[in-house]
Amino acid sequence: MLAFVPIVSPLVIAERRIVRALRSAGATSASAATNLELHRRIHRRSLDRLRERGAVKTGPSGRVWLDESAYSAARNHRRRVAGAALGTAAAAAGLLAVLFNR
């Protein structure tokens, strides 16, 4: 029997690492913002994606912090989109099975 194995994008993994680093540093408000040094391109790209979604904010000094509510909203949105895509794929597979098993 096949087991369900979720496929997680490397960008999502990088986002989780950034979020973990910000939480570990206590950078969850503007007053607790921190400098974040990212050496890998994928981490810089993930940080840009988090900024675009409003989950990571940048202060005037370039320090960053995690906006927990915006991050939660972005994660929920990504889950809804993934669920809709999986539902559509399952419906299409079911339709094809019905059409070709006549």
Side-chain angles (χ1 to χ4, degrees):
M1 178 173 206
L2 293 175
F4 174 73
V5 179
I7 299 172
V8 181
S9 159
L11 282 173
V12 173
I13 293 169
E15 282 182 12
R16 289 178 185 170
R17 287 182 179 156
I18 291 168
V19 168
R20 190 178 324 123
L22 290 172
R23 285 178 177 155
S24 294
T28 56
S29 67
S31 61
T34 187
N35 288 323
L36 195 59
E37 290 186 34
L38 302 174
H39 302 288
R40 297 184 65 196
R41 187 172 71 178
I42 193 167
H43 290 123
R44 290 189 300 270
R45 188 169 165 206
S46 294
L47 179 63
D48 290 342
R49 285 172 41 135
L50 287 166
R51 282 181 176 143
E52 289 170 5
R53 293 184 181 108
V56 171
K57 310 283 186 185
T58 305
S61 63
R63 294 176 179 250
V64 295
W65 72 93
L66 178 67
D67 181 337
E68 291 280 3
S69 61
Y71 177 64
S72 178
R75 283 183 56 197
N76 289 336
H77 175 73
R78 183 170 51 221
R79 287 179 180 156
R80 282 192 306 272
V81 169
L86 286 173
T88 301
L95 180 62
L96 289 173
V98 168
L99 289 175
F100 288 106
N101 281 329
R102 288 186 179 200

